[in-house]
Amino acid sequence: MDNQKVISNNEAGMAAADTRKVVIELQNVKRNFLVGDEVVHALRGISFKIFEGEFVTIMGTSGSGKSTLLNQLGCLDTPTSGEYLLDGVPVRKMRRRERAVLRNRKIGFVFQNYNLLPKTTAVENVELPLMYNASVGAKERRERSIKALEMVGLGSRLYHKSNQMSGGQMQRVAIARALVNDPAVILADEATGNLDTRTSFEILVLFQQLYRAGRTIIFVTHNPEIAQYSSRNIVLRDGKIRQPQHPVGSGGFGCSASAGRRLVRVCLMCIL
């Protein structure tokens, strides 16, 4: 009887999970490259879904297919076969210009090297994605950019230029730029790779806050410690998913208990 209850509860949980909105879906995605006379199979049939409001880390060593997968998720490349759906929109047969529009509307990018325009203020950097959206006027563009910067704690740095900010502040500007279009997903590529330990954790705190606010985040990294802060971890090896995808743990923020404790300690360090 108890076993039947457990099975019923599990089935109910799976049914509840299936009702969540799917933001990212890969269906047997393969990507081959011709190098000389040899065909390199960079992705060998990748399939997974990412639901709205998840914080997913994607890990893999050099040569695992991680960068190729990142290009697929960011609509920078298309699969050789299989299908990729971004917020319900099939991507594989899209023309380059169509993918560029979809990328601008649906994805907020955060890069390891920040990719801010030099000698340009924080608010001007954040405005940039909106400049490619003809439906957003200058006044709304400025208002949304200021709001995004305030959201990441840079309300007092609106008109500081890149060379007047620390690495952590520049990465916060980059995150604000990723948020300004209200994208379906935030795609972070080694977003703490150029930061010292303390600043890295401060940025992770910010990502946790965004996750708790309901944002969908994909964080590509080689650092296993960062995976402890996510709700789910996907590991690649030789172009395939190496291990079953599963929740990393529960430490109050959707992270492991030990990572949660470290996060609390870092938060206190930032305050004191």
Side-chain angles (χ1 to χ4, degrees), residues 103-119:
R103 189 164 57 237
N104 176 263
R105 303 291 193 274
K106 298 290 186 180
I107 303 174
F109 288 93
V110 182
F111 302 98
Q112 179 176 349
N113 294 321
Y114 323 129
N115 286 12
L116 301 183
L117 296 176
K119 299 180 180 179

Side-chain angles (χ1 to χ4, degrees), residues 235-271:
V235 180
L236 295 181
R237 173 183 266 178
D238 299 329
K240 297 180 180 180
I241 295 178
R242 173 184 163 192
Q243 62 189 39
Q245 305 157 44
H246 54 82
V248 175
S250 180
F253 288 95
C255 56
S256 70
S258 60
R261 287 192 293 270
R262 283 201 300 273
L263 190 61
V264 170
R265 287 200 297 270
V266 172
C267 288
L268 290 173
M269 287 171 57
C270 296
I271 294 170

Side-chain angles (χ1 to χ4, degrees), residues 24 69-78 84-86 89 91 94-96 98-104 106-107 109 187:
I24 296 283
L69 179 58
L70 177 65
N71 287 338
Q72 299 291 325
L73 295 173
C75 297
L76 299 169
D77 191 18
T78 54
Y84 168 37
L85 292 95
L86 172 57
V89 180
V91 173
M94 277 187 163
R95 292 190 291 269
R96 182 175 296 182
E98 292 173 326
R99 282 190 283 120
V101 173
L102 183 68
R103 189 164 57 237
N104 176 263
K106 298 290 186 180
I107 303 174
F109 288 93
L187 186 56

Side-chain angles (χ1 to χ4, degrees), residues 52-55 151 179 182 186 205-217 252-253:
E52 188 174 46
E54 281 198 286
F55 184 169
M151 190 183 304
L179 291 170
D182 193 23
I186 297 171
V205 169
L206 178 54
F207 273 110
Q208 288 287 344
Q209 291 170 345
L210 294 172
Y211 164 59
R212 293 199 62 169
R215 294 285 181 176
T216 307
I217 300 170
F253 288 95

Side-chain angles (χ1 to χ4, degrees), residues 173-185:
V173 173
I175 294 170
R177 182 181 58 194
L179 291 170
V180 75
N181 248 340
D182 193 23
V185 61

